[in-house]
Every structure is written in C-alpha cells, then in structure tokens.
Amino acid sequence: MRGNAIHPPSDEELNVYIRTRYQLLGVDISVLPESDPDAPMDQERLLENGRSILRQEVVAADFDIDPQFNLPVPHPAPFVAWTEEVEQ
Amino acid sequence: MRPPQDTVISRRWFLERMAWITTAAAGADALVPRPLFGAERTREYLREIPASNNTLQQVSELTELTISETVDFLRRGVVSPEDLVRAHVDRIDRYDQFYRAYADRPSLDALLASTRSGQDGSYQPLKGVCLAPKDNFYTTDMLTEGGSLVFEGFQPHYDATAVASMRSAGGLIIGKAQMGNLAGGRAQVYGTTIPTTRNAWTPNHVNYSPGGSSSGTGTAVAARMAVAGLGTQTGGSVVGPGNAQGLTCIKPTFGRISLHGVIPLSYTRDHVGPMARNVMDAAILLQVLAHSDPNDPRTRGLPPAPNYVESAVPTLGLNTPVRWPTRVGVLPGWTDPNDEGVARMRGEFLRELESMGNVQLVGEITLPEQWEELTSQPLGGSHGDPTAFFIESLRRDVRLFGDRLPRFLNGMLQSADTYVKVQQARMLLLHRIQTQLFNQCDVVLTEGSGAFDGTGMPVLCMPIGFDTDPSSGMSVPRGVNLAAPPFGEERLFAVAAAWQARTDYHTVRPEDPVG
C-alpha cells in the first residue's frame, strides 16, 4: 500500500526531473526555442512528451505479469525457432 | 572423439569473428565478408522464376518491366542490362524533379560499369535489375544520410549486407531513396518539416502523403524509376508507403533479412522489407535476401529459407485457389473503417476472397486476452531503443534531430524495469497471438501493423482498389495488410498470388507528372 507521502508529481516537478536527467547526461535542450509552434521542435513540446513518457512508467509498473512464466525476450519471433517451437 | 559442445560452439563463433577482424585489417573496403545471396538451394529456387507472357513489343517502356519480366527478357536476350540502366536513368533525369524520390545517385558510367559484374559466369538472378534502397542502408558508392542532419555527408566504408546481397545477385543500386527523418514520418528537407517526396499518384500535389518512412522507395518503385526497392519497418514504414502507392511489400519475420549496415531505430523492432510492384517480385527479393549473416546474430539459427518464388506462383484450378487451404480472419473493426469508400472496398475484397478456392473466411476473430494493454504504449512500444545508439549526436546538438527529437531522448526517461517489462509483455503478446489469434485463422487482415512489428511477425501489403483523394481529386490506390505467424511468408505470398491472378490493381501505373 502506498503511504500518504506519495502523491502524483506535478508538471513542474516532472519538468525539473526531465531537465536534470538530460543535463546529467550532457544533453543541452536550451538550444531549442522555449515555445515556437513553427519550429521543428521546442522545449515546451519536448517536456510535454517527456512527462507523458514518465507517467507511462506507472502503467508499466502496474501491469501484473507472472515473472516465472514470462521471460523478457527482445526478439520474440525468431525466439520460437531458437526454442524449437517451429520445425527446423 | 567428438569434442564437447561448448568448444564447438565457441570455436565456430571465434573463427568467424577472427575472419572478420582479419579481413577488416586488410582494408576498410573489405570490412564485410562476402555475403552471397544464399545457399545453393536458394539459387535453385531463383532459377524457377516463371517466364513472362509478354513480348518486348507489348511493353510500353523498359521501365515497366518487373523483376521477373526482366529476368525473362534477359534470358531471351531481347534486352541488355545497359538498355535497362539507360531507360531508368533517363526517366529519373526527366521526372525526379517532380517526385523527389532520390537522395543520392551514382553516375551513369558507374552504373554501366556495374552491369559488367558477374562476367565470370556466376549466376546473377537480379542481373540488370535497377533497385532503390532507402537511404538508411550503408552504400560504399553513395552517401547514407538517413533523411537527417545527424548523418549529413556520411559516407560508409562498406555496404549493408542487404545491399551487398543484391549486388552479388547482379542488382544495380540506381539510387538511394529519400526517407523520413531517422525512419519516422514522410521525407522532409533535413531538419525541417517541409515535405519533399511526392506520392507517385499525385506528383503535382505535395500535401497527399507518399507514406512514411520508406517514402522515396515507395515513390521510386510506383513511378517506374526503379523496378523494386528496400524499405525498413519499425512501425509500419514499409506497408505504409506500400499501401499509399499501390505496391506489394513484405515485412518478413524478424531476423529473416540482415540489419547489418542499416542505421538503427530499434535493435528489437527494425525489419528490412522488399517493396515491389507485384507479389512475385517481393518473393524474389526476399529469396535473395533471406540468409544467415555472420555480422547479424539475429539472422542465425533460423529455419532455412523456403521456396518463396514457388509460393508466389498462382496455382491453376477452379476459382484461382490459394496454394494451401487458408483460414482468413479480420481484426475487430477492420470491416468498418471511418472512410465509406474504404469500407465498401474492403467488403468487396472479402467477398472476392471468399469466392477463391481453398479460402475459408472466418470473419472477425476474438482478440487475445489483454490485447489493448499489450499492443499500446508503453508495453507495446519501444521507447528506450533508439537513445543508446544516438547519445553522442544528442550531446552534439539536439537540433539535428528536428521534429523527431523526443523519440530519441525518450530512452533517457524510461527506467530499466519498464524496459524489461516491455520485453516480457512482448513475449507474452507473441504467445497469445500464436495461441489465441492464429488458432482461429492462418492469416489475419489488420489495419495497423504495430502488434506484428513488435513481435516480429510477417506482414504483407497489396493493393485492392482505387479511391479518389478529395484534396487533389486524383485517383489513388488503397491496400490491405495481411499478417501471419512467424515464418508465415509463404502463406502470405500464396494468398497474394491468388488475388493478383484474378485482379489487375497491381498492374495499373500512375500518370506521369505534368509540367
């Protein structure tokens, strides 16, 4: 059960997190215009997308999957050949 | 005495890697071991390419020839590879100012010199066939820019394995086709959102999309500026432009075609896909390209490529039967799209399918459990994949990525535990598709290809009719996507062969540009 201290982060909190993460990895997004719908990309759209990705983390975390029967497999289709589930 | 298995496996791997490193040390041009286009059995299959019913007099232009017709006409000696090259170069010189399908092209002299390869008598089934790979395939003689400022001016020192395979089979790379920025969207002026490549069916109307991201290949093939080509698909990027331009394309099972020397978008979802004007040509290209590649372990350990060429030959019999008894299902909602014209066309398509021999139409199938969660974001996606490959470019200047920047930064925000769960969900989806979807049918008609891209299952697209684009008033093709279980390419070819034996949508060519 989640404690009372857990609350959904605000947009502003997520923006700080996103900017910090990019900065940590040496990626400078300040070269983009802050908000310019005519530009190929601006900081506003980039942060909006980033917040969406972060909030989807919750969806993934909440997805209940049996870890004993469902191994992570990056290439599922050829895996059926490697595991001899199709005739060679 | 037989050695223990661990030494056999590790020794084979070691010897292959050492061969690669030794070759590389000898010079950059020889980085890749010579990838032939397949085993002897593959060559036998390719010798079965059927003869054409046409004569040279019946063909309006040499650029109208398909791969199988080119093979046949060369076999009969009625055309030469040089004739074919000149015809395609002439057409590109005349019309690509409108279509804008090509990003880079070799000189005519270089192409003519290429036609003289294989004079040692080696078998070359693609001899004289002019091909247009997307601009994310490495080529030694042309730039590879990936439709993006990130790779502007990039000159690879080796050919992608798929390109090398086509060349070793006699194919000629007539040009590198424009593409959406780093394999997303339609082709644009690098670093902007200004569209470049036109749809071959609306060359004077820029707003009608050619489909993305293999836009240039789609247009080059549909506009008869290449006989066929190669696209790549991570999320619909082969079948999208294929359907938009009336082509027959195959996105094969993951691992069937090497991705070595292709600018990656996702290591786990990218596929190379032949784009052609009919099912036989798509099958021929896949036959050439479907082989194991020491430089791409994802191609190893798969069942040998079967006889795709044969599966694309229509069988004789009452009601143009499909080669094998086939149950055809449709995903819920497929028969009821928003567009009335498309809905009518799909209804007619289903009625025609049902009248074909060996086809059992099973109608709407019941979706596997948790379909929605497993096929939508985040579990059905690939957020984390592109970032690692591009980290240095992201540090250099994020503006190089244009409108595609979020896709490449997302990996920095996706946690490792989510990434693992995405892969667990992907495997679960594959099992459910196999046991809960393909237990109801052998082939399924689907609007999008996302579920089948993520799990690596084969998808074929083909044209089923024409509709009017309201904005340009032009007649434009409409197509369908058919998906099958892993290694189900023959089944898809067989259905498409029967369909194309009784219809001629795939033979209709667009009008030339005006101006």
Side-chain angles (χ1 to χ4, degrees):
Chain A
M1 184 180 287
R2 289 172 182 165
N4 291 336
I6 299 294
H7 70 277
S10 65
D11 284 0
E12 291 70 26
E13 287 170 319
L14 291 180
N15 286 350
V16 171
Y17 175 88
I18 293 164
R19 286 182 188 279
T20 306
R21 182 89 177 114
Y22 293 158
Q23 196 152 8
L24 175 72
L25 292 165
V27 173
D28 180 8
I29 66 167
S30 72
V31 295
L32 297 171
E34 283 200 15
S35 176
D36 180 1
D38 294 328
M41 186 50 56
D42 58 29
Q43 294 183 45
E44 189 174 291
R45 275 177 282 164
L46 190 62
L47 291 169
E48 184 182 355
N49 180 271
R51 294 194 301 270
S52 163
I53 296 299
L54 286 173
R55 287 184 168 125
Q56 286 178 20
E57 293 279 282
V58 185
V59 178
D62 287 348
F63 186 72
D64 189 22
I65 189 166
D66 188 327
Q68 290 292 350
F69 283 98
N70 299 286
L71 297 182
V73 175
H75 313 301
F79 196 73
V80 302
W82 300 330
T83 52
E84 300 176 346
E85 289 173 56
V86 292
E87 284 186 21
Q88 297 266 6
Chain B
M1 183 185 292
R2 185 180 66 79
Q5 197 170 36
D6 59 336
T7 61
V8 177
I9 290 170
S10 60
R11 190 169 60 198
R12 190 178 76 171
W13 184 87
F14 176 78
L15 290 172
E16 281 175 355
R17 297 308 294 177
M18 285 311 292
W20 190 91
I21 291 163
T22 308
T23 314
D29 290 344
L31 262 176
V32 175
R34 295 279 165 229
L36 296 173
F37 58 88
E40 187 54 38
R41 184 159 48 174
T42 294
R43 290 153 195 264
E44 291 305 317
Y45 299 156
L46 286 161
R47 286 193 173 93
E48 295 168 15
I49 295 170
S52 167
N53 294 325
N54 287 335
T55 64
L56 190 57
Q57 289 70 34
Q58 289 172 297
V59 178
S60 56
E61 297 172 28
L62 287 182
T63 52
E64 195 58 29
L65 294 178
T66 61
I67 296 178
S68 61
E69 287 171 336
T70 301
V71 169
D72 189 44
F73 279 36
L74 285 169
R75 203 159 43 195
R76 287 194 252 159
V78 295
V79 294
S80 70
E82 291 81 5
D83 295 336
L84 295 164
V85 165
R86 288 183 194 283
H88 282 88
V89 170
D90 284 350
R91 185 162 174 83
I92 296 168
D93 285 345
R94 189 168 176 193
Y95 289 121
D96 200 43
Q97 59 182 306
F98 302 100
Y99 293 119
R100 301 181 69 182
Y102 285 103
D104 198 8
R105 292 166 51 199
S107 68
L108 176 61
D109 286 346
L111 283 166
L112 291 173
S114 299
T115 64
R116 292 189 280 276
S117 73
Q119 288 182 337
D120 57 355
S122 57
Y123 176 54
Q124 293 194 306
L126 297 182
K127 185 79 180 170
V129 175
C130 296
L131 300 158
K134 187 174 178 176
D135 199 27
N136 53 355
F137 288 86
Y138 285 21
T139 43
T140 53
D141 52 348
M142 282 169 272
L143 297 178
T144 297
E145 297 186 312
S148 172
L149 292 174
V150 174
F151 287 94
E152 193 173 31
F154 174 52
Q155 177 59 69
H157 295 296
Y158 57 91
D159 282 337
T161 297
V163 169
S165 297
M166 294 196 300
R167 290 197 210 260
S168 77
L172 302 165
I173 309 303
I174 193 88
K176 297 293 289 298
Q178 290 202 31
M179 58 181 282
N181 182 4
L182 296 171
R186 66 183 289 186
Q188 299 163 333
V189 176
Y190 297 173
T192 77
T193 53
I194 302 165
T196 55
T197 305
R198 269 60 165 169
N199 188 308
W201 294 83
T202 60
N204 299 105
H205 300 271
V206 68
N207 289 336
Y208 189 75
S209 175
S213 64
S214 309
S215 323
T217 300
T219 297
V221 177
R224 276 55 175 172
M225 297 192 297
V227 184
L230 291 185
T232 57
Q233 175 155 324
T234 307
S237 283
V238 164
V239 297
N243 282 326
Q245 309 221 38
L247 302 179
T248 304
C249 312
I250 179 79
K251 187 226 73 153
T253 304
F254 187 90
R256 259 297 175 226
I257 302 178
S258 171
L259 285 160
H260 178 68
V262 178
I263 296 172
L265 177 55
S266 159
Y267 288 120
T268 62
R269 289 175 64 121
D270 291 349
H271 301 73
V272 173
M275 302 177 72
R277 298 212 302 265
N278 62 34
V279 63
M280 175 53 73
D281 283 9
I284 291 170
L285 269 186
L286 182 59
Q287 198 83 69
V288 168
L289 297 167
H291 60 78
S292 168
D293 176 10
N295 292 327
D296 186 348
R298 295 164 292 190
T299 63
R300 312 301 297 269
L302 304 182
N307 193 337
Y308 297 126
V309 171
E310 182 183 55
S311 68
V313 177
T315 51
L316 299 175
L318 195 62
N319 300 327
T320 41
V322 173
R323 183 170 291 272
W324 300 284
T326 299
R327 297 167 300 158
V328 179
V330 298
L331 284 186
W334 187 85
T335 49
D336 191 26
N338 291 332
D339 187 308
E340 269 184 39
V342 174
R344 193 168 48 249
M345 210 176 295
R346 289 182 180 178
E348 287 166 13
F349 173 65
L350 288 179
R351 281 190 289 280
E352 280 287 318
L353 267 188
E354 197 166 24
S355 70
M356 284 159 53
N358 268 349
V359 170
Q360 182 194 350
L361 201 60
V362 299
E364 277 200 0
I365 50 105
T366 306
L367 287 175
E369 294 168 68
Q370 296 178 296
W371 177 263
E372 190 58 36
E373 291 128 293
L374 292 171
T375 59
S376 56
Q377 300 288 2
L379 295 168
S382 55
H383 286 328
D385 279 2
T387 306
F389 186 87
F390 288 94
I391 184 73
E392 284 311 316
S393 300
L394 289 163
R395 284 174 170 156
R396 182 155 53 106
D397 190 342
V398 291
R399 287 170 295 191
L400 298 172
F401 291 78
D403 59 338
R404 296 271 291 151
L405 178 61
R407 180 82 169 90
F408 292 83
L409 280 174
N410 284 341
M412 295 181 183
L413 301 176
Q414 188 172 48
S415 60
D417 50 313
T418 293
Y419 194 69
V420 167
K421 199 167 260 187
V422 164
Q423 293 185 20
Q424 287 180 284
R426 202 178 274 179
M427 191 64 197
L428 178 62
L429 178 62
L430 175 116
H431 273 298
R432 291 214 172 134
I433 290 178
Q434 285 197 288
T435 58
Q436 298 177 10
L437 192 158
F438 285 122
N439 64 332
Q440 302 171 67
C441 59
D442 304 298
V443 165
V444 69
L445 294 161
T446 171
E447 183 77 50
S449 62
F452 305 97
D453 292 335
T455 51
M457 296 187 180
V459 182
L460 176 143
C461 74
M462 63 180 183
I464 61 164
F466 291 88
D467 204 358
T468 303
D469 165 44
S471 64
S472 65
M474 306 282 286
S475 175
V476 292
R478 301 283 186 226
V480 291
N481 294 328
L482 300 89
F487 309 103
E489 289 84 357
E490 289 172 285
R491 176 86 69 172
L492 296 174
F493 287 147
V495 173
W499 170 253
Q500 293 187 350
R502 64 193 289 164
T503 60
D504 60 3
Y505 301 117
H506 60 288
T507 66
V508 181
R509 63 175 286 169
E511 302 275 335
D512 290 339
V514 178

